[in-house]
Amino acid sequence: MTRVTVSVSGSYDVLIGSGLLDSLGARCAAVHAPCKAALVCDSNVAPLYAQRAEQSLAAAGFDSLRFVFPAGEKSKNLETYTALQNFLAENRLSRSDIIVALGGGVTGDLAGFAAATYMRGIDFVQVPTTLLAMVDSSVGGKTAVDLPAGKNLVGAFHQPILVLCDPDTLATLPEEYFRDGCGEVVKYGLMSDAALFDSLAQAPIRSRLEAVIARCVEIKRDVVSVDEFDTGLRRILNLGHTFGHGIEAAANYTVSHGCAVAMGMAIITRAAAKLGCCPDAAVQRLEALLESCGLPTRAPVPAEAIFAAAMGDKKISAGRLHLVVPRDIGRCEILSVAPNEAMDWLKAGGAE
Ligand SMILES: NC(=O)c1ccc[n+]([C@@H]2O[C@H](COP(=O)([O-])OP(=O)(O)OC[C@H]3O[C@@H](n4cnc5c(N)ncnc54)[C@H](O)[C@@H]3O)[C@@H](O)[C@H]2O)c1
Ligand SMILES: [Zn+2]
C-alpha cells in the first residue's frame, strides 16, 4: 500500500493499494468516530461494490445507509443533489455523520458537493473506482454539479477526510473509461514528470497500477497544496484541456473527455514544436505513447469550431486564454494569449 498525504486546509491521506475496499470501515474509523455513513454510488457501481463497502463499514461500527442514483453525467445535476439532500435529512444525518462516495468522478463530485453543503458541511470520504477519479477528481477538493448552461457551474471546495483507492476495482471498469483515465495519466507525465512518462512508454499502465496512481496523486497533491483554490498554479492541470474542452463541445460530446484531452495535448505539443518552444522529439514520443494507450492524436472537428467552443469555456478570464505549453516532456509553462493567438496555436498544432 502507498500513502500520499495531502496538506491543505486540513490534512488527509490518499491510500492506494490492492484490496483496500475491504478495509474501508477500519480506515474510516481511524479518522472519524463511528457514526451514520451515507454510502453514495451509481447504478453500475452499487451492484458491484456497495455490499463489500457496507460490510466493512458495519464491521467497524458504522451504521451505513445506501443512496443509489442512475449512472452517468446526466445525473450530476441539482435534481439528484436535492434527492440526496432529502435522503440525508430523512435519515436524520447530523453534522457528525459522514458521506462515503463510492464510484467515479460523477459520484465523487455529486456526493462531495452534498457533503460540502448539507448542514453547512459534513465530512466525506472518497472511494474512487475509475482511473480518472483515482488520479484526478478524488484529490483536491473540487466538488460540483452541472447546470443546463454548462458543466460544474454549481460547486464548492470541500476536501475529503480520506481517499481510498483500490486498483482491483478497475478490473470491472469498461475499457473506454480506463482509456479516458490514461489520458489524464499521460498528462501528468507530460506536464511535470519525464520519469513517469518514460515508465508509461516502457510498460502498460495496467501492469503497475499502484505505482502509477500514487505518482499521479503526488503530482496533483503538489499542485493543489500550493494553489488550493485555483487562483494560479492549478491552471497547469489544464494541460490539453483548453483545446480538449473545445473539442468535446464542438463534437457535441461524441468525443469522450480522455480522448479530447489526448487530442488537446497532441495539438498543443505539435504547436509548441512548430513554434520552436519544444523539441520535435517530444511530439513523436507523446504521439507514440498516446497511441499505445489507444488514445487519438488528431481532432475530428475543424479548428474554427474548437476555437469557438474554447472561447465559451468558463476558464477564460479577461478575454485571454491560459495555454499550458510543453517545453519538453515533463516540463511546461502557462502562457496567457489573446484569442487570435490561440487560433494560431490551434493551426500550428495541426487542427484543420
Ligand atoms: N473534481 C474534480 O477535480 C474533477 C476532475 C476531473 C473530472 N471531474 C469530473 O469527473 C466526472 C467524470 O468521472 P468518471 O470518468 O469517473 O465518470 P463516471 O463517474 O460517470 O464513471 C464512468 C462510468 O464507469 C462506471 N464505473 C465506475 N467505476 C466502475 C467500476 N469499478 N467498474 C465498472 N463500472 C464502473 C460508472 O457507472 C460510469 O458508467 C465528470 O463529471 C468530471 O466533471 C472532476
Ligand atoms: Zn480532465
Side-chain angles (χ1 to χ4, degrees):
M1 187 195 78
T2 311
R3 179 188 305 264
V4 180
T5 302
V6 184
S7 293
V8 280
S9 41
S11 160
Y12 57 95
D13 284 340
V14 182
L15 306 179
I16 306 121
S18 175
L20 273 177
L21 180 59
D22 294 311
S23 68
L24 171 64
R27 299 284 176 188
C28 286
V31 292
H32 198 285
C35 60
K36 286 184 186 168
L39 183 72
V40 179
C41 36
D42 75 22
S43 52
N44 292 333
V45 171
L48 290 168
Y49 301 113
Q51 204 179 357
R52 274 173 62 195
E54 284 164 351
Q55 277 167 355
S56 176
L57 286 165
F62 289 88
D63 177 12
S64 69
L65 310 139
R66 191 189 298 190
F67 178 87
V68 182
F69 64 93
E73 182 75 28
K74 281 200 177 73
S75 289
K76 206 180 101 172
N77 58 28
L78 286 171
E79 288 73 46
T80 318
Y81 165 82
T82 305
L84 174 51
Q85 295 287 359
N86 283 325
F87 174 87
L88 301 173
E90 281 157 13
N91 285 288
R92 301 192 178 285
L93 265 79
S94 73
R95 293 206 64 203
S96 50
D97 293 319
I98 62 171
I99 291 179
V100 178
L102 172 70
V106 165
T107 303
D109 280 11
L110 169 74
F113 183 49
T117 45
Y118 181 70
M119 291 190 158
R120 299 189 187 85
I122 64 173
D123 286 342
F124 88 117
V125 171
Q126 292 263 28
V127 188
T129 62
T130 65
L131 181 57
L132 179 137
M134 291 183 191
V135 300
D136 191 355
S137 61
S138 67
V139 180
K142 280 192 180 177
T143 72
V145 297
D146 304 335
L147 291 180
K151 270 176 61 91
N152 299 324
L153 290 181
V154 181
F157 287 95
H158 189 56
Q159 301 290 344
I161 57 167
L162 172 71
V163 182
L164 207 111
C165 300
D166 184 344
D168 294 356
T169 60
L170 300 178
T172 54
L173 184 68
E175 194 55 39
E176 60 190 291
Y177 294 114
F178 188 83
R179 206 172 47 219
D180 271 343
C182 292
E184 305 290 348
V185 170
V186 172
K187 177 191 81 175
Y188 287 112
L190 177 63
M191 182 183 100
S192 61
D193 189 342
L196 170 66
F197 189 97
D198 287 339
S199 77
L200 301 174
Q202 275 152 20
I205 294 174
R206 269 201 197 279
S207 67
R208 37 195 302 279
L209 281 169
E210 181 176 328
V212 168
I213 294 165
R215 185 63 197 127
C216 294
V217 169
E218 280 175 356
I219 296 171
K220 181 151 187 191
R221 182 268 319 268
D222 290 346
V223 174
V224 301
S225 49
V226 173
D227 181 21
E228 181 176 358
F229 298 110
D230 200 3
T231 57
L233 180 66
R234 208 161 165 158
R235 289 196 184 112
I236 211 157
L237 296 168
N238 274 332
L239 174 59
H241 281 65
T242 307
F243 295 150
H245 286 145
I247 293 166
E248 279 183 276
N252 282 322
Y253 296 92
T254 54
V255 174
S256 73
H257 179 71
C259 288
V261 169
M263 295 168 189
M265 285 191 287
I267 290 173
I268 197 75
T269 309
R270 282 193 296 262
K274 193 154 185 194
L275 301 172
C277 312
C278 147
D280 288 332
V283 175
Q284 281 126 35
R285 288 166 69 194
L286 175 66
E287 288 181 342
L289 178 56
L290 291 172
E291 278 159 21
S292 77
C293 295
L295 288 162
T297 60
R298 298 270 165 187
V301 279
E304 285 75 15
I306 301 172
F307 177 72
M311 288 307 293
D313 195 276
K314 70 175 161 40
K315 294 207 169 71
I316 296 167
S317 56
R320 290 183 78 81
L321 275 93
H322 291 103
L323 285 185
V324 186
V325 178
R327 302 300 308 235
D328 201 344
I329 300 295
R331 201 158 55 85
C332 61
E333 68 182 3
I334 303 172
L335 292 185
S336 166
V337 302
N340 61 328
E341 290 175 83
M343 191 64 184
D344 296 342
W345 282 83
L346 265 171
K347 295 257 178 180
E352 275 141 28

